[in-house]
Amino acid sequence: MQNGSANITDVSFNSRLCFKPLVMALKKNIAEGNPGMKKLYGQVVAQFETHPELLNCFTDTSTTNHHSELIEELLSAVFPPTTSNYMYGVLMPFKNEAVYVSPLFKKLLVNPETNEVEIPENPDNQESNFEKIHFAYGLILKKYLGYNSPVTSRSVYPVQDPDTGLLRYMEIRLDARFIDVLPVAEMPEMPASILDPATNRIMTVTELSQLIPLEKFVFEGVAVVRINDMTEQEVITKMKNRLLNSSLSDENVYIDLEEQVQSLIELQNITIGVTPFFKINGHYVYSDIHNSNSLLFKKFGTGGDKDEISDYCKLLFRENDQPLLFQNIEGDTTNEVQCLQYYHLAGARSLILCPLKSKKELIGILEIISNEPGYLKPQHINKIENVIPLFTLGLEKSLEQLNSHVDSIIKKKFTAVQPSVEWKFTETSLNYIVSLHKKQEAYIERIAFGDVHPLYSAIDIRNSSTERSKSIKADIVEQLHLAKKTVANIQAIVSFPLLQEVEFKIEKYIVTASDILQSEEEILIHDFFIGEVASVFNHLRNTEPEIKNDIDEYFAALDAATGVRYHHRKEYEQSITKINETLSRYIDKEQSAAQKIYPHYFERFVTDGVEFNIYMGQSISPRKKFDEIYLRNLRMWQLNLLAKAAIVTHKLEAELTNKLRTTQLILSHSQPLAILFRTEERKFDVDGAYNIRYEIVKKRIDKVRVKETNERLTQPGKIAIVYSQAKDAEEYIGYIEFLQNKNLLKPGIEKFELEELQGVSGLKALRVDVNFDDPDLADKKIKLSEITSGQLSGS
């Protein structure tokens, strides 16, 4: 029997209460020689038979009230006493009229003034009615055509818990074993088969209703109903479907998921978020789309800060796959774990952090927060653990989609930057396809290049962290003075005692901010701004019209998204961005021309400044014979590039709000090494334990000091060249003297021994000043307007 049109869903059932089918079933069990059944229910059956009126059918359940005790004994055969704490009941067949129900069933589902069972509305009520009709026809076909239809049905309904107000999901199981089907009058003519003779398919319910109208039958007996709490299973199923069929970046998905988590852990006042730690090409990526529902990143501005906290979270869960519970986030507890202060800023006073790991790598955190201390408890972790894999699956899907999108952009925009290695990827892919075609054991070959010469350069923005801190402090001080002025204006017009306390705190924080501002003090002042000050000002703005303009002026000076002053920080970030973008455009254009010297692999990274790696050798360009002269040419180009880049940033200073300066650094490494493409990180890296030393030196020389002094090697307006072999120094001295002759560099060369670094010793350095005083900069072909507009012509 197939589903058909829902046009028959308004059918009314003929239904009568009758205990006879249940009594007959018990008598049958007793007669079949079950001694336990006879001992338990033989007397009840005998007593029922002494009241023949109870074996008749009723349309009104109230007529059986004076036999309620006997009926309850009979029904104990269906519901043993040990089930008294569960939800079950006996109803009229296909009616929502209760005959007998358990206490819990009565509390949640029975109207206290009537016997009517209030079955919750199914989201698709028409579909629910249709299923009921389908089930009824199954009973008819089972009795009169021998159709093997089930005598039980199952449906799940959402129910609002009267105590918590949260949705719970109840499974309602209907048992029709004690329902008999009889014709109302004459037996209607039954079809010989439920197969459609024209199409040889099973008839639909709609077609059956035309041949066998339901109103010609009456259903007599009792419907046994059992109800189970399926909240956990149903919530997990719904969350799985939502996460598989939607994107985690969809805000509506989070609304649904938050409601499901609330139902799962039975807490209403909680908020959830997911902070992803996505990496592409080995670097964290922070997409506004994917981070919009992060609670941790809400108070972060720059990528560098996010990098730091992302690394910290990875350390936090490096050896731990279990959720962490912070029951009370107050005062000193925010200092115990670095990320807690940011959740505290987001309003969390109780917190659960669940690690989302893929292949043992942390790819995100599921966050559950409450603004009430102690609200989240250990038992809630047990309930949430079952859905952690679902959130991991959703995050993996989002990362995969992001990777796919980024790949398409890279192929469209950046493939041409590195044509020198593209041939190797094509060759490896073709070999893999051929192996698959030949049905051989197929695997992706290692993509590696041996005997390549590395060149490394870094242009760093000096004191960027210090300048960042200064900008934050300047914004705080400005906002304090803005608040102070606004309070004074308000007090001149209205009397509001609470303003005196606000004024006192403003004065205190002005003194605090005039000195070195600690992170704890910064958080305290931030909370003061968005909490107490905003609350008082908003209240007065709504109640005292004459001071509305003063308060509006205060709020207008703040960032609308964060509720705090964001002037100096914005100028700082704009300055950093302008330097990085200008340098990136300049370097990309210059290196594109440098590919003509000899094809090489080039990669550039942007942090607080720009750094780049170059690898060149015969293995990268097998069709062009390699010669040491190409390497010397590229080293000369590298020094020339850094001198010109220093001039670019020097000229750019006049356009920057924050006067930031850059340092220039070169690492000379005379020994060739091997590089390997890391598939997981999607980048080339040095291969082999011996070559790792090169990477170690790269990471540690940016802040190296001159031996036996406190002086940093790298200084604004200078180029530093770090080396370990005397022949490298001789080579670079030749390049320096040439560029000094061209007036790109000032006369003189400083030579230093460098302090020992962890795992590295014996390093030396050359340092030379870039010539910013040459009036004929036009000869150097550096036109700042062309660089900043992206129209730079080749040098």
Side-chain angles (χ1 to χ4, degrees), residues 418-619:
Q418 301 186 40
S420 56
V421 295
E422 193 174 9
W423 66 270
K424 184 67 175 177
F425 287 88
T426 304
E427 180 185 89
T428 302
S429 300
L430 284 172
N431 291 342
Y432 179 70
I433 292 169
V434 170
S435 296
L436 286 175
H437 184 71
K438 291 180 178 180
K439 298 184 178 178
Q440 298 174 345
E441 184 179 352
Y443 60 92
I444 297 291
E445 300 167 353
R446 293 170 83 248
I447 298 176
F449 299 100
D451 290 325
V452 295
H453 297 271
L455 290 86
Y456 172 76
S457 299
I459 303 172
D460 183 54
I461 299 173
R462 174 52 56 90
N463 297 329
S464 56
S465 298
T466 303
E467 293 298 322
R468 182 184 293 112
S469 298
K470 286 181 180 177
S471 68
I472 292 171
K473 178 179 176 180
D475 279 333
I476 288 174
V477 170
E478 277 191 10
Q479 188 169 354
L480 285 168
H481 283 287
L482 281 170
K484 179 181 178 181
K485 176 185 174 184
T486 306
V487 168
N489 290 343
I490 295 171
Q491 288 181 320
I493 298 172
V494 300
S495 176
F496 196 72
L498 194 57
L499 281 174
Q500 295 176 12
E501 182 187 359
V502 172
E503 185 179 35
F504 167 74
K505 288 185 178 179
I506 290 172
E507 295 288 357
K508 182 179 71 171
Y509 289 141
I510 287 174
V511 173
T512 300
S514 64
D515 200 354
I516 297 174
L517 193 63
Q518 303 296 329
S519 59
E520 297 85 357
E521 294 167 338
E522 181 187 327
I523 293 169
L524 201 62
I525 296 173
H526 179 276
D527 285 348
F528 172 64
F529 282 144
I530 65 173
E532 193 170 345
V533 174
S535 175
V536 171
F537 282 5
N538 279 320
H539 171 77
L540 291 172
R541 180 167 57 179
N542 295 328
T543 57
E544 304 291 343
E546 62 271 29
I547 60 172
K548 182 177 183 299
N549 290 340
D550 291 305
I551 295 175
D552 285 344
E553 186 178 338
Y554 167 80
F555 282 119
L558 309 183
D559 179 70
T562 61
V564 294
R565 184 74 168 154
Y566 197 63
H567 172 66
H568 294 283
R569 272 171 287 186
K570 185 176 182 180
E571 288 183 341
Y572 164 79
E573 288 167 7
Q574 288 174 339
S575 297
I576 290 283
T577 300
K578 189 156 191 174
I579 291 173
N580 284 341
E581 289 181 351
T582 302
L583 283 173
S584 296
R585 276 193 291 266
Y586 181 67
I587 292 169
D588 286 349
K589 191 69 178 180
E590 290 291 306
Q591 90 80 28
S592 180
Q595 289 284 351
K596 296 174 184 177
I597 298 175
Y598 190 87
H600 56 270
Y601 178 78
F602 172 87
E603 60 181 0
R604 170 177 56 77
F605 307 108
V606 176
T607 52
D608 283 354
V610 178
E611 58 183 281
F612 60 87
N613 292 310
I614 291 176
Y615 300 105
M616 68 182 306
Q618 188 68 70
S619 59

Side-chain angles (χ1 to χ4, degrees), residues 6 9 32-33 63 73 125 136-137 149 185 217 239 291 326 342 383 434 452 492 611 618 666 668 670 706 712 747 749:
T9 55
E32 288 176 350
T63 58
E73 286 185 43
N125 193 51
Y137 270 111
S149 58
F217 291 89
M239 291 177 73
N291 290 348
F326 303 94
Y342 304 109
K383 294 188 177 183
V434 170
V452 295
E611 58 183 281
Q618 188 68 70
I666 290 173
S668 175
S670 58
V706 176
R712 288 267 295 270
I749 301 174

Side-chain angles (χ1 to χ4, degrees), residues 49 139 236 245 423 569 641:
E49 291 180 329
L139 297 181
I236 290 174
N245 298 320
W423 66 270
R569 272 171 287 186
L641 173 70

Side-chain angles (χ1 to χ4, degrees), residues 672-728:
L673 43 76
I675 58 172
L676 171 70
F677 186 76
R678 310 280 182 190
T679 307
E680 301 82 6
E681 300 175 10
R682 297 172 54 84
K683 60 174 289 217
F684 280 100
D685 205 351
V686 296
D687 188 30
Y690 174 77
N691 296 324
I692 293 298
R693 183 180 185 275
Y694 172 72
E695 287 294 327
I696 293 173
V697 174
K698 271 171 51 179
K699 292 182 186 305
R700 294 179 181 168
I701 58 174
D702 64 325
K703 292 181 174 60
V704 69
R705 299 183 183 277
V706 176
K707 190 173 184 179
E708 297 179 355
T709 75
N710 199 36
E711 180 188 358
R712 288 267 295 270
L713 172 66
T714 55
Q715 295 293 333
K718 297 176 183 284
I719 300 173
I721 303 165
V722 176
Y723 66 93
S724 56
Q725 302 290 326
K727 64 177 183 177
D728 294 344

Side-chain angles (χ1 to χ4, degrees), residues 25 36 143 189 291 336 353 372 413 430 528 573 626 629 695 698 706 728 733 747:
K143 180 172 181 178
E189 183 179 351
N291 290 348
E336 295 173 4
L353 296 180
E372 181 181 330
K413 294 186 177 291
L430 284 172
F528 172 64
E573 288 167 7
F626 179 76
I629 195 170
E695 287 294 327
K698 271 171 51 179
V706 176
D728 294 344
I733 287 172

Side-chain angles (χ1 to χ4, degrees), residues 58 60 63 119 224 257 265 310 360 378 408 472 490 535 598 607 667 690 718 732 755:
F58 308 92
D60 182 4
T63 58
I119 298 293
V224 177
L257 292 175
I265 66 176
S310 298
K360 298 183 178 180
S408 68
I472 292 171
I490 295 171
S535 175
Y598 190 87
T607 52
L667 172 61
Y690 174 77
K718 297 176 183 284
Y732 272 98
E755 65 179 353

Side-chain angles (χ1 to χ4, degrees), residues 8-282:
I8 63 168
T9 55
D10 294 331
V11 169
S12 177
F13 289 91
N14 296 311
S15 180
R16 298 173 188 164
L17 174 64
C18 185
F19 297 106
K20 186 175 180 179
L22 176 56
V23 172
M24 296 305 293
L26 289 174
K27 286 184 71 174
K28 181 182 177 184
N29 282 341
I30 293 170
E32 288 176 350
N34 189 325
M37 288 292 291
K38 184 173 182 179
K39 184 175 182 181
L40 284 171
Y41 304 115
Q43 185 178 356
V44 176
V45 170
Q47 287 183 7
F48 243 84
E49 291 180 329
T50 62
H51 297 281
E53 69 275 15
L54 288 177
L55 298 177
N56 295 329
C57 294
F58 308 92
T59 56
D60 182 4
T61 59
S62 63
T63 58
T64 63
N65 288 345
H66 55 286
H67 293 295
S68 59
E69 186 175 337
L70 181 58
I71 291 171
E72 190 170 326
E73 286 185 43
L74 176 71
L75 294 177
S76 66
V78 182
F79 307 115
T82 54
T83 64
S84 59
N85 291 326
Y86 294 87
M87 294 179 66
Y88 55 82
V90 171
L91 277 60
M92 291 270 287
F94 297 102
K95 300 281 187 181
N96 289 342
E97 192 171 345
V99 177
Y100 170 79
V101 294
S102 69
L104 190 56
F105 191 118
K106 185 173 184 178
K107 175 186 176 183
L108 292 179
L109 296 176
V110 177
N111 188 317
E113 298 177 359
T114 69
N115 282 335
E116 186 176 355
V117 177
E118 297 178 337
I119 298 293
E121 286 293 324
N122 191 291
D124 191 346
N125 193 51
Q126 191 177 52
E127 182 67 23
S128 177
N129 289 337
F130 190 82
E131 288 177 0
K132 188 187 293 185
I133 295 167
H134 189 282
F135 186 55
Y137 270 111
L139 297 181
I140 294 171
L141 297 177
K142 184 178 183 69
K143 180 172 181 178
Y144 294 105
L145 290 182
Y147 184 67
N148 188 26
S149 58
V151 292
T152 59
S153 71
R154 172 189 181 273
S155 55
V156 177
Y157 293 84
V159 180
Q160 189 172 42
D161 190 308
D163 297 326
T164 65
L166 295 170
L167 276 184
R168 305 203 63 72
Y169 293 90
M170 298 298 176
E171 176 196 53
I172 300 180
R173 287 189 175 271
L174 175 65
D175 185 347
R177 286 178 300 161
F178 310 118
I179 297 177
D180 196 9
V181 188
L182 300 169
V184 173
E186 291 186 10
M187 180 68 187
E189 183 179 351
M190 301 290 288
S193 170
I194 61 171
L195 291 178
D196 186 329
T199 62
N200 209 37
R201 62 170 174 76
I202 296 175
M203 293 181 187
T204 66
V205 172
T206 303
E207 291 167 338
L208 278 173
S209 68
Q210 296 168 356
L211 295 174
I212 317 170
L214 265 184
E215 57 266 23
K216 292 186 178 294
F217 291 89
V218 61
F219 297 87
E220 298 180 349
V222 289
V224 177
V225 176
R226 292 179 174 85
I227 298 182
N228 299 311
D229 189 336
M230 300 292 289
T231 300
E232 183 171 337
Q233 297 91 322
E234 196 68 18
V235 162
I236 290 174
T237 299
K238 287 181 178 293
M239 291 177 73
K240 182 178 181 180
N241 293 335
R242 201 72 168 101
L243 286 164
L244 287 177
N245 298 320
S246 306
S247 171
L248 269 175
S249 59
D250 186 345
E251 188 174 346
N252 293 324
V253 171
Y254 269 86
I255 294 172
D256 290 346
L257 292 175
E258 189 169 271
E259 290 175 353
Q260 299 296 351
V261 170
Q262 288 174 349
S263 292
L264 182 66
I265 66 176
E266 300 180 61
L267 291 178
Q268 192 167 32
N269 299 318
I270 60 166
T271 302
I272 73 163
V274 170
T275 294
F277 302 125
F278 287 169
K279 271 191 171 183
I280 295 180
N281 298 331

